[in-house]
Amino acid sequence: MNISLFVACFNDTLYPETGIATVQLLERLGHRVDFPREQTCCGQVHYNTGYQDETVSLAKRFVDIFSDAETVVAPSASCVGMIREFYPKLAILSGDRKLIRDVDDLLPRVYELSQFLVNKLELEDVGACYPHRVTYHPTCHSLRMLRVGDAPLRLLKKVKGIDLVELPGAEECCGFGGTFAIKNADTSMAMLTDKIARIKETGAEVCTASDNSCLMHIGGALNRQREEVKVVHLAEILASTEAASTETNSPNSGYKKSGSQNSGSTESGPTKSGTPNP
Amino acid sequence: MSSSETGIHPTFEKTARSFLDNSQLRSNLGHATRTIRDKRRGVVDEMPDWEELREAGRQIKQKVMQNLDHYLLQLETSVTRAGGVVHWARDAAEANRIILDLIKERGETEAVKVKSLTTDEIGLNKALAKEDIMALETDLAELIVQMAGDEPSHILVPAIHKNRSEIRDLFRDKLGKPDLTDNPAELTEAARRYLRKKFLSAKIGISGSNFAVAETGTVAVVESEGNGRMCTTLPQTLITVLGIEKIIPAWQDLEVFMQLLPRSSTAERMNPYNTFWTGTTEGDGPQEFHLVLLDNGRTQVLADPAGRETLHCIRCSACLNVCPVYERTGGHAYHSVYPGPIGAILTPQLRGLSDKSAASLPYASTLCGACYEVCPVKINIPEILVHLRGRVVRHNKNWGGIRGKVNPELMGMKWLAWTLRSRSRYERAQKMARKGQRWFMHDDVISKLPGMLSGWTAMRDLRPVAEQTFREWWRTRS
Ligand code: SF4
């Protein structure tokens, strides 16, 4: 299949390893991946903060750039949630007939990574190997907006060597909420503190999710508190192979020396980084 | 209006901060909301047709909102036909005045009250007290709150922020019972004895209402303790305040709501006490019935098609009990009788966005969607929150004067959107951020940011811009 990758601005800029892992995974599964370079952002930050007019222009851009794509895949549940849930509404609000039509036409071809693998490709075993103790946090937008259901868990269960542990109170929000984490920083931290306590209870080395935004939030506090637990995007776990995992036995993480982060996250092997420069 | 409804209040984030430090409140609230949340899930999961019921509830409410003018007139006719008197109140002041006059005309100075949010919304107790009329709350939790001179913090469990020993101390003091223990049965008994006397002597009963049936003129109160039924049956005169959105078209519609409400609110299959009355009946119950129809901002909510759904609310409080924000901050941070997710969408619409406290409420959410998932009438709370954020932004742009136009968030968002509209600007911004961030980096992470962004870094590190972005990596491949 020809897949156009929407990497999401957030991943592009801060978490390139997630994009790289997605490319490696999809290519390993025999697909052709293309990265339309004009892409920037789906507009979620603007939309959620109340800047709807600004969002319309970004939605139009997105639709133009991907209109010819056979399939669009994004390793970001909240961006796909935004596109699926709100693009149609925004299009109607804008009154732009062409946009309404284009959105309608494009939407069925836009997938979040785990949904693409499980629902579209009907795959669960993607041939990954990741010998670590992992817990999965279902992010709110993946769970309640995009309704990915248990797709990520089904994929994780089939990963070789993984020790998957259930996260207590998994469905509770981590307190991120975009600008909420800044506007209501104290409340956000109170929520995050509870989430981190649950993660630590599991004894997992790695907390994974289908959104790097929430992982950045969780990882940001883990890092500050010098915790050993690392945050790793689902795509990176699924892209990991036996070859990579034998090189080293410590999982990759969202926080580490940026110089090493792009040497191909999955091949270079995990870098220990909960405590940078210990 | 009550103190919670009038005056200038601090924003949500300001008050939330002080409540977050109150560990007693947090543990009371955390425990109570988790318990009721689990119970609710149990009684909802056993219903095979729950989703159909929710959809039916949504549709009935939608129909009401589309034809509210018609149903209001129909209700007036039905109530009048059954012997009741209907009054129309544009706002809180008008409603309070109507009720005051009714009580004074009858020469009374005391009334017994059924727990009612609507009367709290209009600040009825305070308005009556000003003219030396005592309205006694008869719901146990409301009584506690009233005795403590406090404000309710939860729609359904107004004293959720108080624990047993706090209540014991209060009763010892106010009921003159120095030997009370904190045994719940003993506490309830003390309150019951006190209230019984009041029920038998009161000539005026005041209530809100859960539903009013346009077709028949029937008014309903559902409750757990039975004290509401005392108030609506024993006094000579009954005065009911009804928010105009509480109307349902037909008697049969109750079948839907009488299933949705108790399961969602108290996690019961049925409320212990369900009281329905239609006008007056000679020789049985109150001989006078007055229904006050209250607008107080509701038609303003109705006027906004994207926010209108807010009026579908049946005040079950399920959304409060699942809300992770409410669980941490408690109800008082919302500065309204309507706290939690429903308060975050209802209060700003009722009060208008010039009220800074109300305008901060749409931001008191992570948009996690837990409220929408449990709402028995399927109000899409996250979507309305976002819609209201949009209204706040436009309001500040248009009415905020020069400060509104140059506020850092607006300028930042405009700049960001401009950047994101072009690949070259976006790529240049990535490069500039990578250079600029060096000033803030420490141990390969960003641990201190200035201005607005310091809220993030106070307790969390931030990932820096990658030395090689994804697109830069992609270029090296091709
Ligand atoms: S918004 Fe929905 S869940 Fe919340 S109180 Fe109203 S009816 Fe209940």
Side-chain angles (χ1 to χ4, degrees):
Chain A
M1 197 176 298
N2 290 313
I3 297 167
S4 294
L5 174 69
F6 174 62
V7 75
C9 60
F10 196 79
N11 291 330
D12 178 20
T13 312
L14 303 178
Y15 292 88
E17 63 270 36
T18 299
I20 296 169
T22 308
V23 173
Q24 290 170 341
L25 170 65
L26 294 173
E27 287 180 347
R28 189 175 79 213
L29 295 172
H31 303 284
R32 261 199 40 174
V33 182
D34 164 47
F35 176 74
R37 268 186 60 197
E38 281 300 311
Q39 64 177 277
T40 57
C41 171
C42 68
Q44 192 189 177
V45 176
H46 284 90
Y47 186 72
N48 285 349
T49 318
Y51 294 82
Q52 281 131 5
D53 300 343
E54 284 77 8
T55 318
V56 173
S57 61
L58 293 173
K60 265 192 194 147
R61 244 188 130 254
F62 182 95
V63 172
D64 280 348
I65 292 165
F66 288 99
S67 58
D68 294 332
E70 185 184 328
T71 309
V72 182
V73 173
S76 168
S78 64
C79 298
V80 178
M82 165 77 204
I83 294 163
R84 285 250 193 93
E85 186 87 355
F86 297 117
Y87 273 20
K89 291 176 180 160
L90 274 169
I92 292 170
L93 271 180
S94 77
D96 182 336
R97 281 172 180 284
K98 182 174 174 311
L99 185 62
I100 299 174
R101 242 183 298 120
D102 290 352
V103 166
D104 260 6
D105 179 60
L106 174 62
L107 238 51
R109 290 176 278 137
V110 182
Y111 293 91
E112 180 274 333
L113 179 64
S114 71
Q115 282 190 322
F116 176 69
L117 297 171
V118 174
N119 304 344
K120 173 82 180 168
L121 298 184
E122 297 179 358
L123 273 178
E124 286 182 13
D125 186 349
V126 294
C129 173
Y130 197 74
H132 299 286
R133 193 176 174 90
V134 175
T135 195
Y136 168 69
H137 166 59
T139 63
C140 298
H141 286 176
S142 69
L143 186 73
R144 284 178 280 262
M145 193 200 285
L146 197 57
R147 304 198 173 277
V148 299
D150 61 353
L153 280 172
R154 283 159 68 179
L155 292 161
L156 284 168
K157 276 184 192 142
K158 292 284 161 63
V159 171
K160 216 172 136 195
I162 199 167
D163 176 13
L164 193 61
V165 278
E166 196 182 323
L167 179 63
E171 299 189 354
E172 275 219 29
C173 177
C174 73
F176 174 59
T179 41
F180 176 83
I182 295 169
K183 281 187 204 253
N184 282 284
D186 302 281
T187 311
S188 166
M189 260 323 286
M191 292 161 72
L192 180 56
T193 304
D194 292 345
K195 178 59 74 182
I196 284 187
R198 300 289 94 76
I199 293 173
K200 277 163 64 186
E201 271 169 40
T202 65
E205 301 162 74
V206 168
C207 173
T208 191
S210 12
D211 273 295
N212 268 334
S213 46
C214 304
L215 287 179
M216 175 178 81
H217 187 233
I218 296 169
L222 286 169
N223 200 54
R224 177 64 61 86
Q225 296 165 16
R226 297 284 183 259
E227 291 294 345
E228 290 290 315
V229 193
K230 288 144 201 94
V231 292
V232 178
H233 191 282
L234 178 70
E236 291 161 54
I237 294 181
L238 298 180
S240 295
T241 54
E242 211 137 1
S245 64
T246 49
E247 270 174 48
T248 162
N249 51 17
S250 158
N252 200 353
S253 153
Y255 287 82
K256 67 182 169 198
K257 201 159 170 56
S258 26
S260 61
Q261 72 193 9
N262 288 352
S263 42
S265 60
T266 57
E267 275 92 5
S268 75
T271 317
K272 184 157 183 165
S273 53
T275 49
N277 288 349
Chain B
M1 284 200 177
S2 79
S3 61
S4 74
E5 294 307 285
T6 49
I8 296 174
H9 302 292
T11 57
F12 178 86
E13 48 281 13
K14 280 224 178 81
T15 321
R17 213 169 294 149
S18 59
F19 279 96
L20 282 166
D21 295 335
N22 185 339
S23 54
Q24 177 72 66
L25 170 81
R26 273 182 71 187
S27 88
N28 289 2
L29 204 60
H31 178 73
T33 52
R34 273 192 299 275
T35 309
I36 195 156
R37 196 188 298 173
D38 295 344
K39 270 180 73 186
R40 179 205 153 270
R41 192 183 278 248
V43 294
V44 162
D45 285 353
E46 72 184 17
M47 297 284 283
D49 58 346
W50 186 252
E51 282 313 310
E52 285 88 345
L53 276 171
R54 285 178 85 207
E55 181 55 26
R58 192 190 70 77
Q59 286 185 15
I60 294 168
K61 284 288 185 176
Q62 192 175 41
K63 186 168 84 179
V64 171
M65 297 316 148
Q66 278 163 356
N67 306 287
L68 192 58
D69 50 343
H70 161 76
Y71 289 122
L72 277 167
L73 293 174
Q74 192 187 6
L75 179 71
E76 182 182 37
T77 311
S78 319
V79 170
T80 313
R81 195 174 49 219
V85 183
V86 174
H87 309 260
W88 299 78
R90 199 171 300 141
D91 54 22
E94 255 185 40
N96 288 334
R97 177 45 51 201
I98 292 167
I99 298 165
L100 252 170
D101 289 347
L102 286 170
I103 299 174
K104 281 188 167 172
E105 279 161 22
R106 282 153 193 77
E108 293 300 324
T109 56
E110 228 182 60
V112 285
K113 256 190 84 194
V114 189
K115 170 181 150 45
S116 139
L117 278 169
T118 316
T119 58
D120 288 345
E121 176 193 323
I122 60 175
L124 178 64
N125 294 6
K126 290 230 166 85
L128 295 181
K130 258 197 208 138
E131 313 230 356
D132 297 320
I133 293 165
M134 164 69 181
L136 182 76
E137 292 293 349
T138 62
D139 173 88
L140 183 55
E142 289 275 353
L143 180 68
I144 293 166
V145 171
Q146 189 179 41
M147 280 182 171
D150 205 347
E151 303 280 349
S153 64
H154 187 283
I155 291 185
L156 197 77
V157 201
I160 202 169
H161 57 295
K162 291 219 172 334
N163 65 18
R164 273 196 268 162
S165 55
E166 290 171 290
I167 295 167
R168 176 203 55 205
D169 294 344
L170 188 68
F171 279 13
R172 279 183 178 176
D173 181 32
K174 301 281 173 171
L175 299 182
K177 294 211 183 290
D179 314 323
L180 270 184
T181 71
D182 65 0
N183 177 337
E186 206 178 308
L187 291 173
T188 317
E189 185 58 25
R192 183 176 292 143
R193 284 184 184 283
Y194 171 73
L195 288 172
R196 281 285 149 99
K197 268 193 228 126
K198 297 288 181 187
F199 287 134
L200 291 171
S201 61
K203 297 279 180 290
I204 310 265
I206 300 177
S207 83
S209 165
N210 297 93
F211 308 103
V213 183
E215 176 190 52
T216 59
T218 308
V219 178
V221 164
V222 304
E223 44 141 3
S224 305
E225 295 175 357
N227 290 339
R229 179 167 294 172
M230 300 278 193
C231 296
T232 54
T233 52
L234 289 172
Q236 187 68 16
T237 303
L238 174 60
I239 306 170
T240 297
V241 185
L242 182 86
I244 51 174
E245 82 283 17
K246 297 275 180 67
I247 294 191
I248 56 174
W251 179 257
Q252 175 138 30
D253 298 328
L254 279 170
E255 120 189 271
V256 173
F257 295 105
M258 293 304 282
Q259 296 186 74
L260 288 174
L261 181 56
R263 286 174 197 264
S264 301
S265 96
T266 44
E268 290 166 305
R269 298 193 172 99
M270 186 179 164
N271 284 97
Y273 293 88
N274 303 284
T275 308
F276 302 84
W277 66 95
T278 309
T280 54
T281 310
E282 220 186 299
D284 184 13
Q287 294 304 292
E288 269 194 81
F289 171 53
H290 295 270
L291 182 64
V292 182
L293 297 175
L294 177 74
D295 182 342
N296 206 28
R298 285 159 175 79
T299 42
Q300 198 176 295
V301 184
L302 193 65
D304 176 0
R308 165 181 307 169
E309 214 182 45
T310 310
L311 295 176
H312 294 189
C313 174
I314 57 172
R315 311 276 190 268
C316 72
S317 73
C319 58
L320 279 70
N321 297 327
V322 295
C323 177
V325 173
Y326 174 82
E327 186 188 331
R328 271 57 177 209
T329 64
H332 291 134
Y334 296 81
H335 294 290
S336 160
V337 294
Y338 304 111
I342 178 61
I345 58 172
L346 182 58
T347 308
Q349 294 188 80
L350 286 179
R351 290 208 201 136
L353 301 174
S354 298
D355 180 325
K356 287 263 178 298
S357 171
S360 72
L361 293 174
Y363 297 92
S365 165
T366 61
L367 308 178
C368 81
C371 47
Y372 180 29
E373 203 172 55
V374 297
C375 178
V377 287
K378 289 170 76 170
I379 301 175
N380 193 336
I381 297 176
E383 199 174 310
I384 298 177
L385 284 167
V386 171
H387 165 69
L388 292 175
R389 289 175 186 187
R391 275 181 53 185
V392 171
V393 168
R394 279 195 298 279
H395 184 90
N396 291 345
K397 256 190 236 174
N398 298 336
W399 304 100
I402 191 78
R403 276 181 67 196
K405 285 187 183 64
V406 297
N407 93 59
E409 183 190 289
L410 176 70
M411 306 218 324
M413 283 295 187
K414 283 210 166 293
W415 174 82
L416 187 61
W418 175 79
T419 306
L420 293 170
R421 276 197 295 271
S422 130
R423 173 169 66 87
S424 61
R425 288 198 292 265
Y426 166 75
E427 289 177 356
R428 226 176 304 138
Q430 284 181 322
K431 290 199 178 81
M432 273 164 57
R434 188 156 50 207
K435 274 205 187 117
Q437 71 188 4
R438 289 190 194 138
W439 300 98
F440 303 102
M441 287 207 6
H442 181 74
D443 279 357
D444 302 312
V445 295
I446 297 172
S447 48
K448 206 169 164 92
L449 282 170
M452 283 199 305
L453 298 175
S454 62
W456 179 280
T457 50
M459 286 166 287
R460 290 160 287 216
D461 289 334
L462 187 64
R463 187 80 185 289
V465 174
E467 252 164 48
Q468 186 186 40
T469 59
F470 175 82
R471 61 183 59 225
E472 286 164 344
W473 172 82
W474 182 265
R475 226 165 293 158
T476 63
R477 271 174 42 118
S478 39

